[in-house]
Amino acid sequence: MTKFEFTTIVDIDRDLIFEISTKYENFTKILPNYFKKLEILEKNEKNTKIYETINFLGRTTTVLTEHVVIKPDRHIVTMLDGQAKGSSFDEMYEKIGSQTKITVKVNFILHGSLKLLGFFAKEKIKTQMSIVMNEFVDYAKNNSN
């Protein structure tokens, strides 16, 4: 199990960036290098189950995820199957004036061949997730007008 968190402060209104981060159907446009295909299976006001074909750390895989939205400031993603089954990403969006503090708590659980990577993968995962977050924030800044 690999646990870590990272925080960034962005010059974007919390409600706007939260809205962008929970419109999953746009992820293939927002982050096309990582989200290759999304198929929404179930959706209601708070929960969404999605088959996601993702590219992460040079691997492309399809995984079933559950997204839980707790408005106005929390988004929890849990992987329901695959080699990272049980992994979760707990995103919190805190209003700080006109800025937003985004904190992501990651609990990455590796199974199968990925389990062998264990501790050695932690820094790679953290680095890759920071890159993805920066690309997401750049998209939000450029498309928030």
Side-chain angles (χ1 to χ4, degrees):
M1 183 173 359
T2 301
K3 288 186 177 186
F4 60 91
E5 76 176 58
F6 57 93
T7 301
T8 187
I9 296 176
V10 298
D11 289 323
I12 304 170
D13 176 72
R14 184 208 51 207
D15 295 341
L16 177 61
I17 196 157
F18 186 78
E19 180 182 339
I20 293 169
S21 75
T22 57
K23 286 203 174 180
Y24 322 113
E25 47 281 333
N26 293 333
F27 278 19
T28 56
K29 296 175 193 154
I30 295 170
L31 296 166
N33 293 329
Y34 309 102
F35 291 90
K36 300 302 185 181
K37 182 179 176 186
L38 299 175
E39 180 185 349
I40 296 175
L41 302 176
E42 297 175 25
K43 185 174 185 173
N44 62 44
E45 190 175 316
K46 290 187 178 183
N47 296 22
T48 305
K49 286 188 180 174
I50 306 172
Y51 270 121
E52 301 179 17
T53 301
I54 56 173
N55 184 354
F56 191 74
L57 295 175
R59 293 175 176 249
T60 300
T61 188
T62 300
V63 63
L64 177 62
T65 59
E66 179 178 45
H67 296 252
V68 177
V69 174
I70 304 166
K71 291 182 178 181
D73 59 5
R74 194 160 174 211
H75 175 214
I76 304 165
V77 181
T78 304
M79 295 184 162
L80 301 177
D81 66 3
Q83 290 187 319
K85 181 179 180 177
S87 295
S88 62
F89 308 86
D90 189 349
E91 306 167 5
M92 289 158 280
Y93 298 79
E94 181 182 347
K95 216 175 236 217
I96 302 175
S98 63
Q99 297 181 312
T100 303
K101 176 181 174 184
I102 304 170
T103 302
V104 181
K105 293 182 180 180
V106 179
N107 181 16
F108 214 75
I109 301 169
L110 303 172
H111 302 280
S113 62
L114 289 181
K115 191 171 185 175
L116 298 174
L117 297 174
F119 174 77
F120 301 106
K122 183 175 183 177
E123 288 306 313
K124 280 188 171 189
I125 293 168
K126 284 174 70 172
T127 299
Q128 185 68 53
M129 290 195 70
S130 290
I131 291 168
V132 173
M133 177 59 80
N134 289 338
E135 289 181 24
F136 173 77
V137 168
D138 287 345
Y139 173 89
K141 282 181 184 177
N142 293 327
N143 292 279
S144 62
N145 298 331

